[in-house]
Amino acid sequence: MATVLQLQPLTAADFKGKVDPDWCPGCGDFGVLSSLQKVLAEMNILPHNVVTISGIGCSSNLPGFIDTYGMHTLHGRALAVATGVKMANHKLNVVVTGGDGDGFGIGGNHFIHTIRRNVDLLYVAMDNQIYGLTTGQTSPTSRKGMKTKSMPYGNVEEPINPITLALAAGATFVARGFSAEPKHLANLIKQGLEHKGFSFIDVFSPCVTYNHDNTYAWFRERIKKLEDDVSYDSSDWHEAMKRGLLWGDEIPIGKFFQRTDLPSLHEAEPLLDQGEPLAHRELRIAPEIVRNFITELM
Amino acid sequence: MATVLQLQPLTAADFKGKVDPDWCPGCGDFGVLSSLQKVLAEMNILPHNVVTISGIGCSSNLPGFIDTYGMHTLHGRALAVATGVKMANHKLNVVVTGGDGDGFGIGGNHFIHTIRRNVDLLYVAMDNQIYGLTTGQTSPTSRKGMKTKSMPYGNVEEPINPITLALAAGATFVARGFSAEPKHLANLIKQGLEHKGFSFIDVFSPCVTYNHDNTYAWFRERIKKLEDDVSYDSSDWHEAMKRGLLWGDEIPIGKFFQRTDLPSLHEAEPLLDQGEPLAHRELRIAPEIVRNFITELM
Amino acid sequence: MDRTFAVAIGGAAGQGVATPGDIFAKIFARRGLHLNAYNAYQSIIRGGHTFLTIRAGIEEVTCFGDHIDLLIPLNQDSMDRHIGLMKANAAVVYNSDTIKPGSLTQAQLCPLPVNQLSKGSRSKVEQNTLALAASLRMMGVDFEPLAEILTEQFMRKGSKVVTENLDIARVGYDYAGANFQPFAFPLPMSGMQYAVLSGNTALAMGGAAAGVKFYCAYPMSPSTGVLHWMAAHARSAGILVRQVEDEIGVINMAIGAAHAGVRAMCATSGGGFALMTEGLGMSAMMETPVVVIDVQRAGPSTGVPTKTEQGDLWQMLGAGFGDFPRLIAAPTDILDCFRLVPEMHNLADRFQCPGIILGDLLLSEGRSSVDPKQLNFDTEIDRGEMIVSADPANGENGYKRYKITESGISPRAIPGVPGHTHTAATDEHDEDGVLISDEFTNPAKRRAMMDKRQRKVLGIEAAVQPPVLIGTPTAEVTLVGWGSTSGVIREAVAMLNEEGISANQLQIRWMVPLHGEAIVNILKSSKYTIMVENNYSGQFARYLRSETSYVPDGCIRKYDGEPFMPHHIVEAVKEQLACKTHKTQQLSVPVHEIMV
Amino acid sequence: MDRTFAVAIGGAAGQGVATPGDIFAKIFARRGLHLNAYNAYQSIIRGGHTFLTIRAGIEEVTCFGDHIDLLIPLNQDSMDRHIGLMKANAAVVYNSDTIKPGSLTQAQLCPLPVNQLSKGSRSKVEQNTLALAASLRMMGVDFEPLAEILTEQFMRKGSKVVTENLDIARVGYDYAGANFQPFAFPLPMSGMQYAVLSGNTALAMGGAAAGVKFYCAYPMSPSTGVLHWMAAHARSAGILVRQVEDEIGVINMAIGAAHAGVRAMCATSGGGFALMTEGLGMSAMMETPVVVIDVQRAGPSTGVPTKTEQGDLWQMLGAGFGDFPRLIAAPTDILDCFRLVPEMHNLADRFQCPGIILGDLLLSEGRSSVDPKQLNFDTEIDRGEMIVSADPANGENGYKRYKITESGISPRAIPGVPGHTHTAATDEHDEDGVLISDEFTNPAKRRAMMDKRQRKVLGIEAAVQPPVLIGTPTAEVTLVGWGSTSGVIREAVAMLNEEGISANQLQIRWMVPLHGEAIVNILKSSKYTIMVENNYSGQFARYLRSETSYVPDGCIRKYDGEPFMPHHIVEAVKEQLACKTHKTQQLSVPVHEIMV
Ligand SMILES: Cc1ncc(C[n+]2csc(CCOP(=O)(O)OP(=O)(O)O)c2C)c(N)n1
Ligand SMILES: Cc1ncc(C[n+]2csc(CCOP(=O)(O)OP(=O)(O)O)c2C)c(N)n1
Ligand code: SF4
Ligand code: SF4
Ligand SMILES: [Mg+2]
Ligand SMILES: [Mg+2]
């Protein structure tokens, strides 16, 4: 993703939004927000060159808490909106944030198709394995057996695995973070922003209010950084699939996969490949071209 | 999937619909229809115990051409409707048929979620890599570079891979057929009908009118049956992923993967696990239970 | 309206407004008092301002009223927002360690020195228990009912916790006895015992009573309560409950289940309904009945998710494009939420078309008392012309799913019945279900099928009773409302009559069929009609006009997210009657003085 | 109406009705004749019955008319269906090897012994070329124009193919000269040269003229033609065209692009629009303009995908729930499809709200001649109050995206502009874009924002001209139509006037804003008004009534999938005028005598 050079060094404070987050104290989403703000400052991307786009959910409230251009769209639709934004102005840095319900439930189709188009944006899913804003129902990533208000007798469905699903859909950058590992997460966000193409980071972001199964402690006991395994090769898709399937005593976080040989959508589109962003182009069509359009009809 | 015993041996003719198919002569969908009719007869499943459900598209016209109960629903929604049918009457044999646009384009989200629920039905996608009924636009399985009415300069998007996508979503039966290999296809359909859980068969079903790239000849040159490789183990998910990725000089058809250790949705639901189908249960709730409902409120 | 008593509890989300509220409601209902409760809250999990009002009385309480008799602010913010509105004879019970009564008030201030009384432990809960007990004492309620409820509530935490809670409650109870003035009128009681339930619970229970066997949903405020009741009671009620990936999946799954023969239902709010509209057309075209509950909230778009509005009517009227018979009704109170569901299922089954229940947050998340005898689970169930098993009379070749009949209704065979196989299609089809574009597109067949479906409208109209005027026909002013505003209009009418302005009420429950002629006949003989709606544009007024040309003399609208209070209506009516001579369609937009 | 000449070609899908049709149209238009074409086809790829009518004349041809002068049946089925309706002076040109003229007719039978004439090779194409050439000879058209077009068409296949085709054409031309009677009136000509285009092409070109830079779609008949034109001309027009996974993605992507500053557009039909309605509300709430084209087809549900209807109006009126300003207009002819698009974009940009163009299959897949000068690409472009670069006057702290203004319009900064960062939300928000439920849900702020948005309605009304009456104001009958029926009503009015029944026409193009008062002022002075609609329930009549209480004296409706023909309207008008005394709202449902 293209970065725009700053005039003077930025700090995370330059990305402070108009209001403070109203998330529950302890909510995992705080860690994601601050990591994002930190990395944007570090990378010296100016706030007005970033568009943060979300759907609806606790996590999707994020654009209101960061000073960039923001779009707080419809439940599940952020990726479609973001694709439109990127196509209209491919010079902008587009960041999509949202929840597991938003992204893998109602938004699942856009997830797959945005991935295969390799739209150049960073998608950070704050995955708390629950529907937070609607006060605690089963989400597509809720584990089997988990009891919620909507499945009080326990979930009987296999959860979605966002990592392997993204890989199968053809994602060019796939990672997983943990909101209580801010440095690690910031590093992933940085890599994701730098990646030219669709970057997906699934972040374990515990809901302290409604998910009493997948707590900070629960994750802390299990997570293991892929980076700690020096032999791990993130260009090996099949290996990424193997690690992506792990879920139990050991749950990997880190960068599962990256490939850089595929063009992103705006690079593949000859119309955008060079020249100004669409949003700044001349609206009128040249008279000789118009003449051709009409001659065709005669 | 439960089969119902016949009173007298059935033939494919018992499944002949009210009208003849109006597909273009040579359309791949003919082969799918006749294989399905043949297998249903062979398995002695009575027409009235089958529900054939489709979305909208050339391929989705199939329910009108077969004598079973049929539902010709909305574009992309057949799997959701079919889940409802199966839940309401899990004794019925549910077969879903449709196109690549229907199933992996507009219907992509239902595809993933129906798979993870392991709903006990057979889903046959007639994959012609094109939008047939709307007269020839790019589909999610159209190959990169392919020229259509909607992408006359060539497709710039990576296609969906239905096989690997289904595997990643957790499908318990994943296969690929070719409509010009009727015996092979019939065998897959039979296995799919017998499988207890979600069975997915992606069938290459050439569109002779709008897809001049992926023709019968094109496929014939490339397809290779997995069954011909005696070493192939369809219980190995990672191996299935490897074969699923093959696309070029060699394109595998056959059963990629099957697992039988997971319960299907109606088996996992205690309410359905025993007793009559919901559709035939008593509507009234027992007075003592009603009393409890009301006492709770007092 | 008889004397009522209203308690209000205000605080931040997460401060525990709900529990003391539940206890008050239980005590009132067990005492044989009717009640009505409304909780003004925000779309956040913690913080903000939540304000719960519970109003009780011997007679039916139809809305949360205009006045608060007892205020329990749980934080300073709540004190500051509401103290100025408290009248004489009212009281404010609060934790004097953390909250100061900012401005002057005529109400009795009842400071509780919580730390001192509770010895400083677990003060959030104790503050609430102390305030609860003190309040009950001031209302003249015995200690026993409170002790009983606290015991029930803490039982599973062990007897030690029960004793602790009873002790602290007793301290508060006695402290109030010694330090605060009791209310002039002690809380009355009756020989009755009422159930207390929300509109969402009533809708869900109505589904259970209707014989719904398949319920599916995607969570969406303020409809999620229906899913929660269904999920919690699924196993005992024998209802299969499924959470689906989105609302499109929901309606399609519900239609699939309905098609296979069960009664199926789902609930959502405006945004989810928008995603369902394509499916609604499928129900109409396949003639497969399905019942959809839409719980309205303030729009457009995501809008104000925790606030009420009657703004989805036009979405319902146009949902699904093309012309087809549909049913739309708006329940008028919480008991009606329960009653309407089986009624809607019966009609949807009989006429094989989609049925929409248009609720709103006010009813769905409000609560009221209901005589348990009214929660009748033996209500009529009419599944219409449905073929569930083979009948030699309907021979294999004779059956035509979409047979053209006088009534427009064609007997519906469910999958599994021998000799009745057919395909139901969303494409236009002939009597036998064959697509007319697969055969020959045929204008005559197309027209015949449209006519057949539309003939059902006559039967539907005959099956539903027209609305009736409530009150003296000769009144000076007629207030017209629809759905959930029934209760607040009823109270406003009573207040107007008390003030010597004779008023009556016409409340519309059925939108489709509307019975426009019957409505206009009533309104034509009214002296002055005012339409009361909880939306910006007068959606019902515009719809009534589209069917009847009728224009009311005035209208009162509210679109700020909060429901009407009776005085909003009373004042606006008086204002409009005062300048009646203009006879143009005046608009009154009541302002909320309570900033929730 | 002046003398016109109508050619019809009938056959199965796949038999090649389109190519000879295109050639006729080109010859007519190059000859300076106006034309109007309608193709009645089915939702199948092969088989069935396709019937293309092309009607040409010196004056503007506003519909495909009532009569066929020359019929070319490509198969027996087409012969059988249409022969009985041919009048004297008409002719039927057909392949006598395969087709027999079944019943008796007054028309001239012109059998072509195709095998003999073509020496048996590639007979499908040759049959068509022979018929084409023979027909042109009978119409009195020179051979050269045909030769020219055949040459253009087959050029890229090499000169051998060209020569072959010219040869066979010449054979047909000469054979007709020798064997058939020419038509009594040879085809006229003028000095003009016209472009021929479909409504879909016109809509797409209108987008290009409006400066649309982002177009996305999911294919759906009968709107797919817009996508096809856009895709084919994307690179030269500098328009980014994307095919999306579904219609939900389409509208959301379009809004994203529009939000980032381009003009964005998409097109669909009723079912796809149903999926877009949630997104429409987002456009309204974020105040991000977007233009959506809905090409109506016969519903409900999948309905009759290749047949026309005006049945989506109420879906549009209610789409998106809650109250918000929107724009809805229905183009009245194919040229108007082109003109309306820039107009709609200007208004959507100025008022920062969604704009809907309500087309239908009749226009979208119909074709007509247009004077190329009318296809003006220098039309006005008004992007409204949009901030595309930093201006020291709009300081970093001063900018408020949703500033409350008198006009209701708040200047819109696009992402990338320094000093104007803000978040656009679908939740209700304050002037600065901050969610009011994240702060404190605040009825006063909510009302202020609703009022701000709704104030735009006044500006919108002022920006659009009210409709005007066409014809003598004192006419005996006024026909009221909307959108695509303009042309056929115009012809019916002319026919009525010719028959001595004085008639005039009021055609409505803008649904929202409606200018109800202006409409009623016109209709009030009309002697007898009849509303003509291509739907079952009179959707426009009901809507007009909802805004004005106006009820017409009668109505003519058609809902069999086929469009009106002039005589349908003329006969129904006469019938209704004959029993005018009743003055109830009479319904006429014209029947199609041609079974396409
Ligand atoms: C179409 C639609 N359906 C339902 C909702 C209600 N809704 C709001 S947020 C949400 C789910 C939130 O879960 P998730 O996306 O995981 O975010 P979290 O709150 O857990 O961060 C739902 C169902 C909606 N806003 N729109
Ligand atoms: C909501 C909606 N959008 C679009 C359409 C139009 N449509 C009908 S079939 C079809 C695609 C057909 O392609 P596919 O599913 O691959 O089936 P095929 O015809 O190739 O067998 C489309 C886009 C529709 N019917 N409904
Ligand atoms: S409910 Fe859960 S996800 Fe939402 S803010 Fe609270 S902790 Fe975070
Ligand atoms: S268009 Fe293609 S998919 Fe459709 S019937 Fe013809 S060959 Fe088959
Ligand atoms: Mg979540
Ligand atoms: Mg296809």
Side-chain angles (χ1 to χ4, degrees), chain A residues 58-59 98-102 126-133 139 141 207:
Chain A
C58 290
S59 44
D100 40 323
D102 188 78
M126 287 167 255
D127 187 351
N128 54 13
Q129 295 84 31
I130 196 92
Y131 282 23
L133 191 61
S139 107
T141 56
C207 171

Side-chain angles (χ1 to χ4, degrees), chain A residues 22-30 57-59 128 130-133 135 205-211, chain C residues 45-46:
Chain A
D22 57 9
W23 290 314
C24 305
C27 175
D29 298 349
F30 284 100
C58 290
S59 44
N128 54 13
I130 196 92
Y131 282 23
L133 191 61
T135 75
S205 178
C207 171
V208 296
T209 304
Y210 296 112
N211 187 337
Chain C
I45 306 293
R46 297 249 177 263

Side-chain angles (χ1 to χ4, degrees), chain B residues 59 99-101 126-132 139:
Chain B
S59 43
D100 40 325
M126 287 167 255
D127 187 351
N128 54 12
Q129 297 84 31
I130 197 92
Y131 282 22
S139 109

Side-chain angles (χ1 to χ4, degrees), chain B residues 29 56-60 75 98-103 106 126 128 130-134 139, chain C residues 278, chain D residues 218-221 247 268 271-272 275 297 302:
Chain B
D29 298 349
I56 299 291
C58 290
S59 43
S60 288
H75 189 43
D100 40 325
D102 188 78
I106 193 167
M126 287 167 255
N128 54 12
I130 197 92
Y131 282 22
L133 192 61
T134 45
S139 109
Chain C
E278 196 197 11
Chain D
Y218 187 76
M220 185 159 193
S221 309
E247 288 89 349
T268 185
L275 294 171
R297 68 190 208 190
T302 310

Side-chain angles (χ1 to χ4, degrees), chain C residues 419-464:
Chain C
H420 291 71
T421 53
H422 64 273
T423 292
T426 58
D427 278 85
E428 190 59 280
H429 40 256
D430 68 10
E431 285 190 274
D432 211 5
V434 172
L435 267 52
I436 64 171
S437 65
D438 273 352
E439 192 209 17
F440 285 119
T441 304
N442 188 321
K445 285 189 183 170
R446 156 73 176 170
R447 228 176 85 189
M449 286 311 286
M450 280 293 280
D451 290 341
K452 174 196 113 67
R453 285 190 297 267
Q454 293 285 356
R455 271 201 299 279
K456 295 194 272 189
V457 167
L458 291 173
I460 291 171
E461 270 170 11
V464 167

Side-chain angles (χ1 to χ4, degrees), chain B residues 22 24-25 56 58 73-75 77 101 105-106 131-134 137-138 149-153 156-157 209-210, chain D residues 43-46 218-221 224 227-228 231-236 241-248 275 301-302:
Chain B
D22 55 10
C24 305
I56 299 291
C58 290
T73 73
L74 297 170
H75 189 43
R77 312 304 169 197
I106 193 167
Y131 282 22
L133 192 61
T134 45
Q137 298 80 24
T138 303
K149 283 185 193 159
S150 60
M151 298 201 184
Y153 300 105
V156 299
E157 300 176 2
T209 304
Y210 296 112
Chain D
S43 183
I44 46 174
I45 306 294
R46 297 251 177 263
Y218 187 76
M220 185 159 193
S221 309
T224 316
L227 169 63
H228 290 170
H233 299 81
R235 301 245 167 122
S236 51
V241 177
R242 298 231 55 79
Q243 188 179 326
V244 187
E245 58 273 16
D246 63 15
E247 288 89 349
I248 301 179
L275 294 171
S301 204
T302 310

Side-chain angles (χ1 to χ4, degrees), chain B residues 94-224:
Chain B
V94 177
V95 178
V96 176
T97 59
D100 40 325
D102 188 78
F104 316 131
I106 193 167
N109 209 26
H110 308 303
F111 181 55
I112 293 167
H113 288 276
T114 311
I115 285 177
R116 76 181 176 88
R117 295 185 182 120
N118 201 24
V119 181
D120 181 29
L121 55 82
L122 170 65
Y123 176 38
V124 182
M126 287 167 255
D127 187 351
N128 54 12
Q129 297 84 31
I130 197 92
Y131 282 22
L133 192 61
T134 45
T135 74
Q137 298 80 24
T138 303
S139 109
T141 55
S142 293
R143 314 316 299 174
K144 230 172 171 171
M146 180 174 178
K147 291 179 182 168
T148 67
K149 283 185 193 159
S150 60
M151 298 201 184
Y153 300 105
N155 183 14
V156 299
E157 300 176 2
E158 287 290 331
I160 287 273
N161 182 329
I163 301 297
T164 54
L165 191 65
L167 287 168
T172 54
F173 182 102
V174 178
R176 187 192 272 148
F178 179 31
S179 70
E181 288 278 355
K183 269 207 193 128
H184 180 259
L185 177 60
N187 183 267
L188 293 176
I189 291 176
K190 184 152 184 285
Q191 290 185 63
L193 281 168
E194 279 165 352
H195 178 72
K196 293 189 201 308
F198 188 89
S199 321
F200 171 55
I201 311 178
D202 191 44
V203 182
F204 293 143
S205 179
C207 170
V208 296
T209 304
Y210 296 112
N211 188 337
H212 303 300
D213 290 11
N214 310 106
T215 59
Y216 285 101
W218 191 92
F219 283 114
R220 239 184 230 112
E221 267 174 33
R222 290 167 175 80
I223 58 157
K224 221 175 133 180

